[in-house]
Amino acid sequence: MTDSAQSLCKGCRPEYKVTEAQIARILDSPMFDSEHCVSDEVYRIRLELCRTCVKCQDGLTCMLCGCIVPVAAKLKARGCPLPGGGRWAAE
């Protein structure tokens, strides 16, 4: 393992990266029904807000809470963990 790979957290290492296919499979699961999820428009806005955040890594991982951004942004009960109120709130 290289020195740079050792300095990464476990979830940031290439062998642990979550793929788009895995995220799609998660979002297709029964827990992501309309009762638990925000509308497509709110989801799109949340993703855009996250992708412009300096704490968002590769548009997929939040470096503050470690969540998979496309999964957390879809859930009504989740809010942005950014200190000071976050970029979006739970519904």
Side-chain angles (χ1 to χ4, degrees):
M1 188 179 306
T2 66
D3 287 338
S4 63
Q6 288 177 345
S7 67
L8 295 174
C9 70
K10 181 177 180 179
C12 295
R13 294 181 191 153
E15 64 268 27
Y16 291 101
K17 291 285 185 183
V18 177
T19 67
E20 294 287 337
Q22 290 169 319
I23 292 170
R25 193 169 55 246
I26 292 167
L27 294 175
D28 283 339
S29 70
M31 78 170 277
F32 288 90
D33 61 15
S34 60
E35 178 184 345
H36 298 103
C37 294
V38 297
S39 69
D40 289 342
E41 179 64 14
V42 170
Y43 181 58
R44 185 191 63 73
I45 291 168
R46 286 180 172 191
L47 288 177
E48 285 302 315
L49 289 168
C50 287
R51 287 184 180 130
T52 61
C53 180
V54 297
K55 296 297 184 181
C56 185
Q57 185 176 21
D58 301 327
L60 294 176
T61 306
C62 176
M63 292 189 298
L64 291 171
C65 69
C67 75
I68 299 169
V69 171
V71 173
K74 190 73 172 165
L75 296 170
K76 286 180 180 178
R78 291 294 303 262
C80 171
L82 193 66
R87 292 178 168 232
W88 45 271
E91 289 188 1

